[in-house]
Amino acid sequence: MRMKWTCATAVAIILCCHAGIGPAAAPTSRELRPIGEVLALPLEVLETKPSVTVRGVTIWRNDWSFVIQDDTDGMYVDVHRAAEAGIWTDHSTPNAVEVGTVVEVEGDLIPAGFSPAILPRAIRVIEKAALPPPKPFDAERFFSGADICRIVQVTGVVRGVSMENHRYRLTAETQGRTFEATLGELASEKVTEPLLDAVVQFTGVAMPVHNTRGELVQIQLYIDYPEWLTVVTPAGDDPFAGPFVPLASLGRFRREPLRGHMIRTEGTVVHAVPGQAVHLQEGINGVVVQTYSTEAFEPGDRVQVAGFLDHSGRVARLAGALVRKSGRDAPPTAHAVTPDEVLQVNQVATTSRLMALPGDYDGCLITFEATLVERQSSDDRGIFVLASGKTGAVAYADPLVFRALDHIKVGSLLAVTGIAESVPAVNAASSPLQKIDRVALLLRSANDIRVIRAPSWWTPRRVMIMLASALAALAGGALAAAGWIILLRSQVARQFAVIQDKLHAEAVAEERRRIAREFHDSLDQGLAGLSLRLDAAARQTGDAEARGVLLQQHRFLASLQNEARNFLWDLRYPTHVEGLLADSIRAQLLYMGSLTPLPLELEDHGPPIALPQMEHYQLVRIVREAVNNSIRHARAHRITVHLGGAVPDSTPGFVQVVVQDDGVGFDVATRANAVGHFGVRGMQERSRRIGAELLVDSVPGRGTRVVVRLPLRKSAADEHRAALTAGA
């Protein structure tokens, strides 16, 4: 391994000696401990941030941090976080710490994201040394994250290739599981042949990608040297020369495994989105092919596909595929089958543990009649909530298709055609055969929905009006009878409206909950993964301008994550709220408490408080925003919500909510007007909307106190007083 040793580096070491960085003249006063022993400390010890001293060879570094490895294990040295905490005076990694130098690090041990890391207080460069030999591949250790921060060697089939800033990023598979490999500039320059479907031996530093719970999501290898990348078996000249597997047999039994290589299949196109996906159908079998190909395909095109088998979804699909047209056929016809029948077929298969017959319809074009219950839209798609039989369905369309169907009114009877997707139940993971909860449809164009019958003019309200008018005419001058009829008409109409509203609200509420679950499992988790990748990319790049752009995008993504969580909460808790204010706040704190380790407490100091729906809703949103700001920015140890108020005998009274934390505080005037910070401004707007007073009291270093005081209208005060009387 060739390592550069320049005069500038030598000068840097001499200068760093005055800052506690450089060749050690005497042993450290602290006890030197093996890295493996330090990593084995229990969580309750790590949470106390014990001071430790470790020594190892630097095996990887960037401008913010570095990784060291000794004979027992490897560890991440987080210089950037130490600088933020004020225990390290420089935000960059010392120049004297090069790959291949032995360093001694003294600092505070913390739990970090996935594995323990050290926040350095002092770094001493000891000497230059050879890198440790790569650790042989052990699948269980590798994919569980036990070998992170160590040099490991693994051989796998390359399933995906992309390039960012002249650096290759590879997705590879070994033993049926995937990992990522990021090549440095030197290693990327070595790549002179196609890597897709090649068998490659990777040597690199294993690093984790984790979620907010500190759980491992993906293993990523950093490969900085050309000799750390060896092509064992080159990719074939023709990607379409792989073994042929019929569309209906993609994920089914084979005597010989495919070993992660590309396979070949063919089918008829039912729908295609260039650069994203091609939907194929053969009889009762449908398959989604994920592809980066921008070639346009039309329904009825016969295509050949070369891709990698992907088992990550409920049914098998092909990923990273190449697609080429081979002929022309009649477009696949839609199967006339209702959502109830699709669920029944899958339920029978789940219960019997046999294949669904004639098929499960997943990925196939189906058609049925349904009534439009509700329509919703977002930036990336529109949603139609459909009532059909006992279960109903949801149809998705891109914004252009959704707008083209804007003329269809709620209550219309429709003939709906689309590509079916069976959506598993929430507890699907508990069963080897996943129970299907509902059916979703992908609408290909506006022609996939046809109006059979518009909503009837004879609504219950109009019927009662006509009936009352006729009875009134027959009654002639019988004023008393006419008055009674008018009163009856009004009461019956109101009851019909209430019944209709309740039925509609129940259907909408259930679908909102389903959509919230789906968004949580895909959008929220996807944003979290993207946030981690942006953070990792920012730490890796040596280009200051590129790093600034990545950090800016990381902050923007954090804002999007917050908005996504607000959207999910709004889906589960719409403006139609009822019950006591304390119950709603308590439920919200329980939900937010699942996303943070901070203790969130509610202290209810007064009698039960019942408010009108809009005031109830806006107060809960203000509490949510204030608590969320404390979680994100305050670095607090505790957040408490105080709820109270007073209802004097002669005045309407008020409700007061206080959100208090013991965090670092901030300058209220500066933050309220800062670009990109809308928390305080948003709470002020919500307060004005319901006539409440908002006070934000915060000083840097002394925590934050948000007070909302809502004068009660007379009707609300009466409800409040009645609740107090009932409690007594």
Side-chain angles (χ1 to χ4, degrees):
M1 186 69 63
R2 297 190 304 273
M3 299 298 169
K4 295 182 180 179
W5 185 257
T6 65
C7 293
T9 301
V11 172
I13 293 178
I14 295 172
L15 294 176
C16 288
C17 289
H18 297 283
I21 306 167
T28 175
S29 59
R30 295 184 179 273
E31 178 187 0
L32 192 65
R33 306 179 68 176
I35 293 176
E37 178 183 309
V38 171
L39 294 178
L41 292 174
L43 180 61
E44 55 267 22
V45 176
L46 295 175
E47 290 175 343
T48 66
K49 299 182 180 179
S51 295
V52 297
T53 302
V54 294
R55 179 185 293 179
V57 181
T58 305
I59 61 173
W60 178 86
R61 65 153 287 170
N62 60 17
D63 289 341
W64 296 277
S65 303
F66 58 95
V67 175
I68 60 174
Q69 181 180 335
D70 66 7
D71 293 336
T72 64
D73 221 315
M75 172 171 282
Y76 189 79
V77 182
D78 198 334
V79 180
H80 178 70
R81 194 179 299 274
E84 286 185 336
I87 65 176
W88 184 261
T89 58
D90 188 357
H91 282 265
S92 63
T93 305
N95 291 330
V97 178
E98 293 185 337
V99 173
T101 57
V102 177
V103 296
E104 190 173 285
V105 182
E106 178 184 328
D108 296 343
L109 195 66
I110 62 170
F114 174 67
S115 66
I118 187 169
L119 305 185
R121 294 181 179 274
I123 302 173
R124 289 176 278 273
V125 177
I126 308 300
E127 60 186 357
K128 293 185 69 68
L131 294 180
K135 184 175 177 60
F137 177 70
D138 181 321
E140 186 174 357
R141 290 185 57 85
F142 181 78
F143 286 109
S144 68
D147 284 337
I148 67 165
C149 294
R150 304 184 75 167
I151 300 176
V152 297
Q153 194 169 78
V154 55
T155 301
V157 178
V158 178
R159 293 172 56 106
V161 179
S162 62
M163 177 170 277
E164 300 175 6
N165 298 323
H166 306 289
R167 298 185 179 189
Y168 279 103
R169 189 180 186 90
L170 310 177
T171 301
E173 177 187 293
T174 184
Q175 298 191 14
R177 302 180 67 176
T178 60
F179 61 93
E180 301 285 337
T182 299
L183 277 57
E185 291 187 7
L186 294 177
S188 295
E189 291 174 359
K190 180 190 176 182
V191 178
T192 58
E193 58 183 299
L195 291 179
L196 190 66
D197 205 33
V199 179
V200 176
Q201 183 184 72
F202 302 92
T203 302
V205 179
M207 299 289 280
V209 177
H210 60 84
N211 60 20
T212 55
R213 289 187 176 185
E215 299 167 338
L216 184 67
V217 175
Q218 180 71 281
I219 290 292
Q220 186 162 332
L221 287 182
Y222 289 97
I223 301 168
D224 291 332
Y225 306 104
E227 56 266 35
W228 281 10
L229 184 74
T230 303
V231 177
V232 178
T233 305
D237 295 332
D238 182 7
F240 290 91
F244 179 81
V245 180
L247 202 67
S249 302
L250 285 184
R252 298 188 61 190
F253 171 75
R254 291 179 61 89
R255 290 190 62 197
E256 294 297 328
L258 298 169
R259 304 189 185 280
H261 285 283
M262 297 183 85
I263 62 173
R264 179 169 51 93
T265 191
E266 62 182 9
T268 303
V269 175
V270 66
H271 179 56
V273 180
Q276 297 182 28
V278 177
H279 297 262
L280 304 181
Q281 182 172 326
E282 291 284 270
I284 202 69
N285 298 290
V287 170
V288 179
V289 177
Q290 181 270 323
T291 179
Y292 298 107
S293 172
T294 57
E295 183 177 355
F297 298 101
E298 298 293 333
D301 285 343
R302 291 289 296 178
V303 295
Q304 293 181 339
V305 179
F308 298 94
L309 195 59
D310 182 359
H311 290 286
S312 61
R314 196 191 74 86
V315 296
R317 66 172 188 170
L318 289 177
L322 304 173
V323 185
R324 67 184 183 188
K325 185 175 178 180
S326 60
R328 181 71 187 171
D329 203 348
T333 58
H335 299 277
V337 58
T338 67
D340 285 350
E341 290 170 335
V342 173
L343 294 185
Q344 177 64 23
V345 166
N346 283 276
Q347 181 60 41
V348 170
T350 301
T351 304
S352 65
R353 297 181 178 271
L354 297 174
M355 287 179 55
L357 295 175
D360 63 2
Y361 295 99
D362 207 304
C364 290
L365 203 61
I366 67 171
T367 183
F368 56 89
E369 293 185 2
T371 300
L372 180 60
V373 174
E374 187 185 10
R375 51 192 304 137
Q376 302 170 355
S377 64
S378 63
D379 291 338
D380 60 341
R381 63 177 177 177
I383 302 171
F384 295 95
V385 182
L386 306 172
S388 175
K390 298 178 181 179
T391 55
V394 175
Y396 301 98
D398 68 42
L400 290 177
V401 173
F402 187 73
R403 285 194 292 271
L405 297 169
D406 189 58
H407 63 282
I408 300 178
K409 297 179 180 179
V410 171
S412 299
L413 179 63
L414 310 173
V416 184
T417 302
I419 300 173
E421 177 188 356
S422 299
V423 181
V426 176
N427 61 348
S430 63
S431 173
L433 289 175
Q434 296 185 347
K435 180 181 178 182
I436 302 305
D437 183 59
R438 62 190 173 98
V439 175
L441 288 184
L442 171 62
L443 302 178
R444 303 165 300 168
S445 70
N447 295 328
D448 277 343
I449 287 188
R450 178 173 58 86
V451 178
I452 298 175
R453 185 175 63 248
S456 174
W457 187 88
W458 291 99
T459 63
R461 183 176 181 84
R462 288 194 173 107
V463 170
M464 293 308 302
I465 292 175
M466 294 296 293
L467 178 60
S469 299
L471 290 175
L474 291 174
L479 297 179
W484 179 83
I485 291 170
I486 293 172
L487 178 61
L488 178 62
R489 177 193 65 188
S490 177
Q491 290 176 338
V492 172
R494 281 197 298 270
Q495 290 302 315
F496 267 102
V498 168
I499 292 171
Q500 279 189 312
D501 288 346
K502 284 187 175 181
L503 290 174
H504 181 267
E506 289 174 1
V508 170
E510 173 60 24
E511 192 54 37
R512 293 175 78 109
R513 287 191 290 270
R514 286 176 174 172
I515 294 170
R517 291 197 298 266
E518 181 175 320
F519 275 19
H520 178 269
D521 292 339
S522 56
L523 175 64
D524 193 30
Q525 298 296 333
L527 288 176
L530 182 57
S531 176
L532 291 171
R533 290 174 184 269
L534 275 176
D535 184 59
R539 290 174 181 269
Q540 294 165 30
T541 181
D543 187 326
E545 182 178 354
R547 183 166 62 253
V549 172
L550 288 169
L551 290 174
Q552 181 182 16
Q553 294 303 311
H554 187 267
R555 290 190 292 270
F556 176 68
L557 183 60
S559 175
L560 286 181
Q561 286 181 276
N562 185 54
E563 290 301 319
R565 293 191 179 103
N566 284 336
F567 174 67
L568 291 175
W569 183 76
D570 280 339
L571 281 176
R572 292 189 174 99
Y573 303 96
T575 55
H576 181 80
V577 291
E578 56 186 15
L580 299 178
L581 180 61
D583 293 338
S584 295
I585 294 176
R586 188 174 292 107
Q588 184 56 212
L589 293 181
L590 285 173
Y591 168 71
M592 299 181 75
S594 66
L595 306 176
T596 176
L598 287 177
L600 308 180
E601 299 179 356
L602 172 64
E603 294 186 2
D604 190 359
H605 301 290
I609 300 173
L611 295 173
Q613 289 181 5
M614 181 52 67
E615 295 176 357
H616 185 140
Y617 171 75
Q618 296 294 355
L619 279 179
V620 174
R621 284 304 302 264
I622 292 171
V623 169
R624 173 184 171 81
E625 183 65 36
V627 172
N628 188 48
N629 286 342
S630 293
I631 292 172
R632 294 175 57 197
H633 307 297
R635 289 184 241 164
H637 297 92
R638 183 178 301 277
I639 302 172
T640 306
V641 179
H642 304 271
L643 174 62
V647 185
D649 293 336
S650 58
T651 60
F654 64 89
V655 173
Q656 180 168 289
V657 184
V658 180
V659 179
Q660 189 164 3
D661 67 57
D662 58 357
V664 297
F666 64 96
D667 186 304
V668 177
T670 303
R671 179 65 58 86
N673 298 315
V675 177
H677 294 279
F678 306 106
V680 175
R681 192 186 313 167
M683 291 189 291
Q684 291 171 338
E685 292 173 354
R686 291 185 183 279
S687 299
R688 285 195 296 268
R689 195 173 302 170
I690 58 176
E693 299 178 13
L694 178 76
L695 171 65
V696 180
D697 181 16
S698 183
V699 176
R702 295 197 335 218
T704 301
R705 188 169 180 263
V706 177
V707 182
V708 187
R709 187 182 174 98
L710 171 69
L712 289 171
R713 297 188 304 229
K714 188 175 186 304
S715 59
D718 291 341
E719 294 179 14
H720 194 173
R721 188 179 293 106
L724 176 61
T725 303

XYZ file of all heavy atoms in Angstrom, residues 204-258:
432
model
N -12.969 -3.324 1.504
C -13.308 -1.968 1.908
C -13.620 -1.871 3.384
O -13.633 -2.865 4.113
N -13.865 -0.643 3.821
C -14.221 -0.372 5.212
C -15.739 -0.430 5.326
O -16.447 0.331 4.651
C -13.686 1.000 5.663
C -14.094 1.278 7.109
C -12.180 1.059 5.509
N -16.238 -1.343 6.152
C -17.681 -1.519 6.316
C -18.235 -0.428 7.220
O -17.710 -0.179 8.305
C -17.988 -2.899 6.902
N -19.302 0.241 6.761
C -19.956 1.292 7.539
C -21.463 1.054 7.510
O -22.001 0.510 6.534
C -19.626 2.669 6.976
C -18.145 3.009 7.008
S -17.536 3.309 8.666
C -18.081 4.995 8.892
N -22.183 1.475 8.562
C -23.620 1.206 8.605
C -24.449 2.369 8.078
O -24.049 3.531 8.158
C -23.871 1.022 10.110
C -22.908 1.993 10.737
C -21.695 2.022 9.842
N -25.626 2.050 7.551
C -26.699 3.020 7.347
C -27.793 2.615 8.320
O -28.251 1.472 8.305
C -27.226 3.000 5.899
C -28.392 3.964 5.755
C -26.119 3.348 4.921
N -28.196 3.528 9.202
C -29.139 3.166 10.259
C -30.334 4.106 10.257
O -30.314 5.177 9.655
C -28.443 3.196 11.626
C -27.873 4.548 11.982
N -28.625 5.548 12.548
C -26.626 5.060 11.831
C -27.880 6.615 12.740
N -26.651 6.350 12.310
N -31.398 3.689 10.951
C -32.580 4.537 11.080
C -32.524 5.326 12.382
O -31.538 5.289 13.109
C -33.861 3.694 10.986
C -33.937 2.635 12.082
O -33.269 2.727 13.110
N -34.758 1.629 11.871
N -33.621 6.039 12.705
C -33.621 6.899 13.881
C -33.638 6.113 15.180
O -33.403 6.685 16.244
C -34.844 7.829 13.852
O -36.043 7.032 13.714
C -34.765 8.786 12.683
N -33.907 4.828 15.124
C -33.854 4.002 16.323
C -32.462 3.415 16.550
O -32.246 2.672 17.502
C -34.854 2.849 16.219
C -36.302 3.267 16.314
C -37.188 2.048 16.374
N -38.577 2.411 16.564
C -39.559 1.532 16.754
N -39.271 0.248 16.783
N -40.795 1.937 16.924
N -31.534 3.721 15.656
C -30.218 3.122 15.756
C -30.183 1.703 15.236
O -29.258 0.945 15.560
N -31.169 1.327 14.423
C -31.228 -0.023 13.868
C -30.571 -0.047 12.491
O -30.700 0.898 11.707
C -32.684 -0.485 13.755
C -33.405 -0.550 15.083
C -34.903 -0.708 14.921
O -35.431 -0.367 13.845
O -35.550 -1.162 15.874
N -29.894 -1.134 12.190
C -29.184 -1.256 10.923
C -30.163 -1.379 9.763
O -31.097 -2.188 9.803
C -28.264 -2.481 10.961
C -27.371 -2.688 9.741
C -26.339 -1.577 9.635
C -26.687 -4.044 9.805
N -29.960 -0.575 8.727
C -30.790 -0.623 7.524
C -30.019 -1.219 6.354
O -30.557 -2.010 5.582
C -31.293 0.792 7.156
C -32.055 0.769 5.840
C -32.167 1.358 8.272
N -28.752 -0.862 6.223
C -27.965 -1.304 5.073
C -26.479 -1.269 5.443
O -26.066 -0.471 6.282
C -28.225 -0.373 3.872
C -27.475 -0.709 2.601
C -27.981 -1.969 1.934
O -27.643 -3.062 2.363
N -28.801 -1.812 0.911
N -25.693 -2.147 4.831
C -24.234 -2.117 4.974
C -23.648 -1.429 3.745
O -24.045 -1.708 2.614
C -23.658 -3.539 5.114
C -24.043 -4.141 6.458
C -22.140 -3.518 4.981
C -23.400 -3.476 7.649
N -22.698 -0.538 3.992
C -22.054 0.180 2.904
C -20.547 0.017 3.025
O -19.973 0.191 4.099
C -22.440 1.656 2.959
C -21.938 2.459 1.777
C -22.689 3.768 1.634
O -23.833 3.874 2.017
N -22.037 4.768 1.086
N -19.890 -0.329 1.902
C -18.434 -0.463 1.867
C -17.828 0.774 1.209
O -18.309 1.232 0.164
C -18.019 -1.700 1.071
C -18.228 -3.078 1.699
C -17.710 -4.148 0.762
C -17.523 -3.174 3.036
N -16.755 1.309 1.818
C -16.002 2.401 1.223
C -14.694 1.835 0.672
O -13.875 1.280 1.415
C -15.729 3.495 2.250
C -16.972 4.266 2.610
C -17.705 3.943 3.750
C -17.433 5.294 1.801
C -18.860 4.643 4.074
C -18.583 5.998 2.107
C -19.294 5.665 3.251
O -20.429 6.356 3.563
N -14.528 1.982 -0.643
C -13.396 1.364 -1.341
C -12.564 2.484 -1.946
O -12.966 3.119 -2.925
C -13.915 0.399 -2.434
C -14.781 -0.687 -1.780
C -12.776 -0.199 -3.224
C -15.563 -1.507 -2.753
N -11.390 2.744 -1.338
C -10.598 3.912 -1.715
C -9.411 3.612 -2.614
O -8.798 4.543 -3.149
C -10.098 4.627 -0.455
C -11.234 5.287 0.324
O -12.236 5.660 -0.313
O -11.120 5.415 1.551
N -9.038 2.353 -2.803
C -7.817 2.030 -3.546
C -8.126 1.078 -4.693
O -8.981 0.186 -4.563
C -6.773 1.422 -2.602
C -6.502 2.310 -1.420
C -7.038 2.006 -0.170
C -5.741 3.464 -1.562
C -6.808 2.842 0.917
C -5.506 4.301 -0.481
C -6.044 3.991 0.757
O -5.831 4.816 1.820
N -7.448 1.246 -5.832
C -7.709 0.391 -6.994
C -7.547 -1.088 -6.689
O -8.319 -1.919 -7.190
C -6.677 0.870 -8.023
C -6.375 2.274 -7.625
C -6.448 2.299 -6.132
N -6.544 -1.451 -5.866
C -6.314 -2.867 -5.577
C -7.396 -3.470 -4.684
O -7.404 -4.675 -4.446
C -4.935 -3.057 -4.942
C -4.700 -2.236 -3.695
C -4.022 -0.910 -3.994
O -4.294 -0.319 -5.061
O -3.210 -0.472 -3.157
N -8.294 -2.637 -4.161
C -9.396 -3.132 -3.336
C -10.601 -3.558 -4.181
O -11.626 -3.935 -3.642
C -9.829 -2.061 -2.335
C -8.912 -1.963 -1.144
C -7.706 -2.574 -0.992
C -9.137 -1.214 0.051
N -7.153 -2.271 0.222
C -8.007 -1.425 0.891
C -10.155 -0.395 0.502
C -7.898 -0.846 2.146
C -10.041 0.192 1.757
C -8.924 -0.034 2.572
N -10.490 -3.485 -5.498
C -11.583 -3.873 -6.391
C -11.037 -4.837 -7.434
O -10.188 -4.461 -8.247
C -12.186 -2.635 -7.076
C -13.403 -2.874 -7.959
C -14.634 -3.140 -7.096
C -13.664 -1.669 -8.860
N -11.520 -6.083 -7.412
C -11.033 -7.099 -8.343
C -12.218 -7.762 -9.031
O -13.116 -8.289 -8.356
C -10.211 -8.174 -7.609
O -9.128 -7.544 -6.918
C -9.679 -9.202 -8.586
N -12.213 -7.733 -10.369
C -13.266 -8.413 -11.133
C -12.919 -9.898 -11.203
O -11.918 -10.284 -11.811
C -13.410 -7.813 -12.540
C -14.454 -8.597 -13.341
C -13.797 -6.337 -12.454
N -13.740 -10.732 -10.580
C -13.508 -12.177 -10.565
C -14.035 -12.812 -11.842
O -13.350 -13.605 -12.496
C -14.178 -12.815 -9.331
C -13.989 -14.333 -9.328
C -13.631 -12.201 -8.046
N -15.265 -12.462 -12.206
C -15.870 -12.965 -13.448
C -16.459 -11.784 -14.196
O -17.393 -11.143 -13.701
C -16.983 -13.982 -13.150
O -16.459 -15.034 -12.334
C -17.539 -14.554 -14.440
N -15.929 -11.436 -15.363
C -16.449 -10.275 -16.097
C -17.906 -10.481 -16.500
O -18.396 -11.605 -16.623
C -15.531 -10.189 -17.324
C -14.328 -11.008 -16.975
C -14.804 -12.082 -16.055
N -18.580 -9.364 -16.717
C -19.948 -9.425 -17.225
C -19.930 -9.952 -18.653
O -18.981 -9.722 -19.410
C -20.586 -8.042 -17.178
N -20.965 -10.671 -19.030
C -21.053 -11.191 -20.386
C -21.247 -10.087 -21.409
O -21.681 -8.980 -21.078
N -20.933 -10.386 -22.644
C -21.093 -9.400 -23.709
C -22.558 -9.111 -23.998
O -22.911 -8.012 -24.408
C -20.408 -9.898 -24.993
C -18.899 -10.016 -24.826
O -18.353 -9.261 -23.992
O -18.289 -10.861 -25.499
N -23.437 -10.103 -23.785
C -24.857 -9.946 -24.087
C -25.671 -10.177 -22.815
O -25.786 -11.307 -22.339
C -25.283 -10.948 -25.165
C -26.749 -10.789 -25.546
O -27.389 -9.821 -25.079
O -27.250 -11.649 -26.313
N -26.242 -9.107 -22.226
C -27.027 -9.298 -20.998
C -28.272 -10.147 -21.218
O -28.830 -10.684 -20.258
C -27.394 -7.864 -20.594
C -27.269 -7.061 -21.847
C -26.178 -7.697 -22.637
N -28.707 -10.284 -22.481
C -29.891 -11.077 -22.776
C -29.545 -12.551 -23.020
O -30.375 -13.304 -23.512
C -30.621 -10.506 -23.990
C -31.288 -9.183 -23.718
C -30.609 -8.001 -23.933
C -32.585 -9.127 -23.227
C -31.204 -6.775 -23.676
C -33.192 -7.911 -22.971
C -32.508 -6.734 -23.192
N -28.324 -12.941 -22.673
C -27.918 -14.340 -22.845
C -28.108 -15.150 -21.567
O -27.743 -16.325 -21.527
C -26.451 -14.403 -23.282
N -28.667 -14.545 -20.524
C -28.879 -15.254 -19.271
C -29.963 -16.307 -19.388
O -30.653 -16.428 -20.413
N -30.162 -17.115 -18.332
C -31.173 -18.173 -18.370
C -32.581 -17.589 -18.521
O -32.905 -16.566 -17.926
C -31.006 -18.878 -17.023
C -30.346 -17.864 -16.147
C -29.467 -17.058 -17.031
N -33.398 -18.277 -19.337
C -34.773 -17.815 -19.570
C -35.691 -18.387 -18.498
O -35.661 -19.587 -18.204
C -35.260 -18.251 -20.955
C -36.676 -17.820 -21.230
C -36.945 -16.527 -21.649
C -37.740 -18.696 -21.056
C -38.252 -16.116 -21.901
C -39.038 -18.303 -21.304
C -39.294 -17.001 -21.733
N -36.510 -17.505 -17.905
C -37.496 -17.911 -16.902
C -38.840 -17.350 -17.340
O -38.975 -16.138 -17.525
C -37.138 -17.377 -15.500
C -38.184 -17.821 -14.477
C -35.750 -17.845 -15.087
N -39.869 -18.199 -17.531
C -41.185 -17.689 -17.917
C -41.714 -16.691 -16.892
O -41.401 -16.776 -15.699
C -42.057 -18.946 -17.972
C -41.089 -20.071 -18.158
C -39.848 -19.667 -17.446
N -42.515 -15.766 -17.361
C -43.039 -14.715 -16.494
C -43.773 -15.302 -15.289
O -43.677 -14.776 -14.173
C -43.981 -13.812 -17.301
C -44.213 -12.408 -16.762
C -42.954 -11.580 -16.851
C -45.354 -11.734 -17.515
N -44.501 -16.406 -15.491
C -45.281 -17.003 -14.407
C -44.425 -17.748 -13.398
O -44.923 -18.166 -12.352
C -46.332 -17.958 -14.988
N -43.126 -17.920 -13.689
C -42.282 -18.748 -12.813
C -41.126 -17.962 -12.191
O -40.180 -18.561 -11.686
C -41.702 -19.921 -13.620
O -42.740 -20.708 -14.179
N -41.209 -16.633 -12.193
C -40.068 -15.828 -11.754
C -39.602 -16.187 -10.351
O -38.421 -16.407 -10.116
C -40.420 -14.338 -11.815
C -40.454 -13.710 -13.207
C -40.720 -12.220 -13.099
C -39.146 -13.950 -13.947
N -40.503 -16.215 -9.404
C -40.099 -16.453 -8.026
C -40.391 -17.852 -7.527
O -40.338 -18.106 -6.316
N -40.697 -18.768 -8.430
C -41.111 -20.104 -8.013
C -39.917 -21.065 -7.928
O -38.782 -20.698 -8.188
C -42.168 -20.634 -8.985
C -43.445 -19.767 -8.995
C -44.533 -20.403 -9.807
N -44.915 -21.706 -9.252
C -45.715 -22.570 -9.869
N -46.206 -22.278 -11.055
N -46.009 -23.711 -9.302
N -40.207 -22.303 -7.560
C -39.180 -23.302 -7.276
C -38.280 -23.566 -8.486
O -38.743 -23.672 -9.615
C -39.846 -24.611 -6.847
C -38.892 -25.772 -6.746
C -38.011 -25.872 -5.680
C -38.865 -26.754 -7.731
C -37.124 -26.936 -5.587
C -37.987 -27.820 -7.649
C -37.112 -27.912 -6.570
N -36.965 -23.656 -8.211
C -35.975 -24.062 -9.194
C -35.026 -25.043 -8.522
O -34.641 -24.860 -7.361
C -35.166 -22.865 -9.704
C -35.930 -21.888 -10.543
C -35.032 -20.728 -10.972
N -33.904 -21.180 -11.777
C -33.931 -21.308 -13.097
N -35.042 -21.031 -13.758
N -32.870 -21.722 -13.745
N -34.619 -26.051 -9.248
C -33.673 -27.023 -8.682
C -32.294 -26.414 -8.515
O -31.562 -26.764 -7.595
C -33.597 -28.265 -9.575
C -34.853 -29.134 -9.548
C -34.592 -30.448 -10.245
N -33.540 -31.200 -9.576
C -32.879 -32.217 -10.121
N -33.156 -32.579 -11.369
N -31.940 -32.860 -9.448
N -31.933 -25.498 -9.413
C -30.631 -24.848 -9.339
C -30.822 -23.349 -9.102
O -31.615 -22.703 -9.790
C -29.840 -25.069 -10.636
C -29.468 -26.520 -10.876
C -28.546 -27.058 -9.786
O -27.747 -26.266 -9.240
O -28.632 -28.268 -9.489
N -30.121 -22.764 -8.144
C -30.289 -21.329 -7.849
C -29.728 -20.461 -8.964
O -28.846 -20.868 -9.719
C -29.500 -21.146 -6.550
C -28.467 -22.228 -6.583
C -29.126 -23.401 -7.255
N -30.250 -19.245 -9.046
C -29.790 -18.294 -10.054
C -28.532 -17.552 -9.607
O -27.875 -16.892 -10.408
C -30.903 -17.276 -10.350
C -32.178 -17.892 -10.936
C -33.301 -16.867 -10.941
C -31.918 -18.412 -12.338
